Amino acid sequence: MPNLDKILTVAEMKEKARRSVPKMFFEYADSGSYTEGTYRANESDFNKISLRQKVAVNLEGRNLKTSMLGKTITMPVAIAPAATGGMQIADGEIKAAKAAEAFGIPFTLSTMSVCSIEDVAENTSAPFWFQLYVMRDRGFIERLIDRAKAAKCSALVLTMDLQILGQRHKDIHNGLSTPPKFTPYSIFQMMQHPIWCARMLGTKRHTFRNIVGHVDGNHDLASLSAWTSSQFDPTLNWADVAWVKKRFGGPVIVKGVLDREDAIAAVENGADAVIVSNHGGRQLDGAPSTIRVLPEIIDAIGKRTEVYLDSGIRSGQDVIKALAYGAKGTFIGRPMLYGLGAGGQAGVARVLEIIRKELDTTMALCGERDIVNVGLHNIYSNDIPPRRAPLAP
Ligand SMILES: Cc1cc2nc3c(=O)[nH]c(=O)nc-3n(C[C@H](O)[C@H](O)[C@H](O)COP(=O)(O)O)c2cc1C
């Protein structure tokens, strides 16, 4: 494994991942839909917000511990669900889950992961969260929820913003597929990364293991991609939140909310928490950054439920800004994937350590000793222009 101590930022981890992972899988992570405008805005809007410096405050005994869904965590950062973590490095999701467990933060496993629910459960001891895509085959979804329950997943993250796929041009140009298709171009990309290849040859986990072997009549890998992309259910609606919740019997976090009215609907239909997310700029290109809409969503539901944010978090400074606007916690997607690609479990641990240190120093220089006290008083909250609510249809 490389010397990760020399990597000081998430941006440096990204460059290390770029050198370590075949192009098609690195670019699968480092891409947004269409013009990638929303993908860029997620990061650049954070940079527009200034933090308020305070001095002459006693900074001893600082605390980053807080809670998400009532469980104590070591800092307000969770791992977001990300498809094909197991293609950034062999057994990627197991490695990321172990790093999160050691750090004391929540890990969320994607429906479209390479390692299955059972794979992760067998290799970890802390309960993790499971992200659910609702598919047309409701029998499969019922079995999937039951498997998450059997694996003692402590929450379901129900993703509402991907019933239709935003197009990512890079994936098409790269001929991306999971499991990898062996075309001359994809073999060429993989051969340039012999360590990656050797590790992949050492694992049996190469495909969507939550799906393969669990769907009637779909045992053949060639038909898997076609099955999956035809399966995202376009009829998904708010009533399904209650259906999912009843089947699971535990907390359901609704992910993919970017609109005030949707936030209210999510809570009224039983969401135990809401993630303000635009899927990391991978779905509606042209949608606002999440940090820009967070204030209006906090205003709408912040007193009734916990609100989390993802999309664009790259540093502890970004975490503080999300918390200042009222988020109870944040999620990281790509930073975790870059950590995996660059160094597996140790890479994810290094990403978490980088963010933790940045968060602690930034909090202190803002004059705060306890993360739970961070609020609007810590930022210049008019740095991002307030969004005027769209007119009713
Ligand atoms: C490569 C990749 C795969 C993703 N797969 C999923 C997924 O399977 N389910 C899901 O709900 N979100 C998925 N997401 C979205 C993330 O959960 C999260 O919303 C997003 O990555 C946050 O933005 P960030 O990458 O800027 O941190 C994925 C994101 C990326 C980058």
Side-chain angles (χ1 to χ4, degrees):
M1 274 293 150
N3 182 359
L4 296 166
D5 293 346
K6 294 209 170 106
I7 293 181
L8 303 181
T9 63
V10 168
E12 288 175 14
M13 192 67 81
K14 175 177 175 177
E15 292 316 308
K16 172 80 190 122
R18 191 194 299 275
R19 295 191 296 274
S20 311
V21 177
K23 180 168 176 271
M24 69 172 94
F25 297 117
F26 173 78
E27 289 194 344
Y28 175 67
D30 181 28
S31 58
S33 56
Y34 302 102
T35 69
E36 302 192 330
T38 297
Y39 177 30
R40 286 190 298 274
N42 281 336
E43 293 181 26
S44 58
D45 277 358
F46 272 112
N47 297 333
K48 291 177 189 156
I49 303 166
S50 308
L51 293 164
R52 180 179 174 204
Q53 173 174 303
K54 293 291 285 173
V55 295
V57 177
N58 178 0
L59 297 174
E60 259 178 4
R62 294 188 300 283
N63 170 54
L64 293 179
K65 276 197 198 130
T66 177
S67 66
M68 283 168 88
L69 279 185
K71 184 163 179 336
T72 302
I73 51 177
T74 53
M75 67 174 174
V77 178
I79 302 289
T84 66
M87 286 288 138
Q88 304 299 320
I89 193 167
D91 302 331
E93 292 92 354
I94 293 174
K95 290 171 176 161
K98 283 183 163 182
E101 177 172 348
F103 214 88
I105 58 155
F107 171 79
T108 317
L109 183 73
S110 164
T111 292
M112 305 309 292
S113 54
V114 173
C115 302
S116 67
I117 301 175
E118 294 78 11
D119 289 331
V120 174
E122 277 162 22
N123 286 283
T124 54
S125 40
F128 57 96
W129 296 350
F130 182 67
Q131 175 266 331
L132 185 72
Y133 279 131
V134 174
M135 300 194 168
R136 290 179 201 263
D137 182 344
R138 293 294 170 109
F140 167 68
I141 293 304
E142 284 176 0
R143 292 194 297 280
L144 195 59
I145 295 173
D146 294 350
R147 286 166 59 200
K149 227 161 50 171
K152 305 210 168 18
C153 291
S154 51
L156 270 193
V157 174
L158 174 59
T159 300
M160 303 288 287
D161 63 357
L162 195 130
Q163 298 319 109
I164 292 213
L165 288 174
Q167 179 167 303
R168 293 182 299 269
H169 302 323
K170 286 176 191 152
D171 293 350
I172 297 173
H173 289 311
N174 286 330
L176 177 88
S177 70
T178 302
K181 271 200 205 105
F182 294 103
T183 63
Y185 184 47
S186 72
I187 291 170
F188 171 72
Q189 290 187 30
M190 288 185 248
M191 293 302 284
Q192 294 184 317
H193 299 280
I195 298 175
W196 182 93
C197 289
R199 288 198 183 111
M200 280 294 169
L201 288 173
T203 180
K204 57 186 180 200
R205 303 182 181 100
H206 298 134
T207 186
F208 297 120
R209 285 169 62 90
N210 284 326
I211 298 175
V212 171
H214 297 279
V215 179
D216 297 336
N218 190 4
H219 309 294
D220 148 27
L221 292 188
S223 62
L224 181 64
S225 286
W227 182 86
T228 318
S229 45
S230 68
Q231 274 293 322
F232 293 102
D233 187 348
T235 69
L236 179 72
N237 61 71
W238 292 118
D240 290 317
V241 178
W243 176 78
V244 166
K245 203 171 155 165
K246 186 154 177 260
R247 182 90 197 181
F248 181 60
V252 171
I253 304 169
V254 168
K255 175 172 186 277
V257 169
L258 213 54
D259 181 84
R260 182 189 167 89
E261 288 168 20
D262 284 353
I264 294 169
V267 174
E268 285 176 354
N269 284 282
D272 295 284
V274 165
I275 309 179
V276 177
S277 173
N278 55 32
H279 220 99
R282 296 163 78 78
Q283 284 294 96
L284 178 60
D285 184 36
S289 67
T290 50
I291 193 65
R292 193 155 171 229
V293 297
L294 181 63
E296 67 193 73
I297 292 179
I298 292 290
D299 179 57
I301 61 166
K303 290 199 172 70
R304 294 160 74 186
T305 191
E306 292 192 351
V307 177
Y308 313 137
L309 174 138
D310 76 19
S311 303
I313 300 270
R314 300 290 177 267
S315 66
Q317 294 88 314
D318 295 341
V319 175
I320 286 270
K321 290 169 187 175
L323 261 49
Y325 273 122
K328 176 79 175 154
T330 60
F331 286 74
I332 50 168
R334 294 182 184 85
M336 173 274 293
L337 293 171
Y338 299 148
L340 273 184
Q345 182 178 339
V348 178
R350 181 74 190 139
V351 163
L352 294 174
E353 189 50 33
I354 289 168
I355 293 178
R356 192 197 65 76
K357 273 195 181 154
E358 291 169 342
L359 185 58
D360 180 51
T361 306
T362 307
M363 177 180 82
L365 293 173
C366 287
E368 296 292 341
R369 282 200 301 183
D370 194 328
I371 200 78
V372 301
N373 295 333
V374 168
L376 278 177
H377 58 281
N378 296 117
I379 52 170
Y380 295 86
S381 56
N382 56 354
D383 281 346
I384 299 188
R387 226 175 51 95
R388 186 180 297 163
L391 297 175

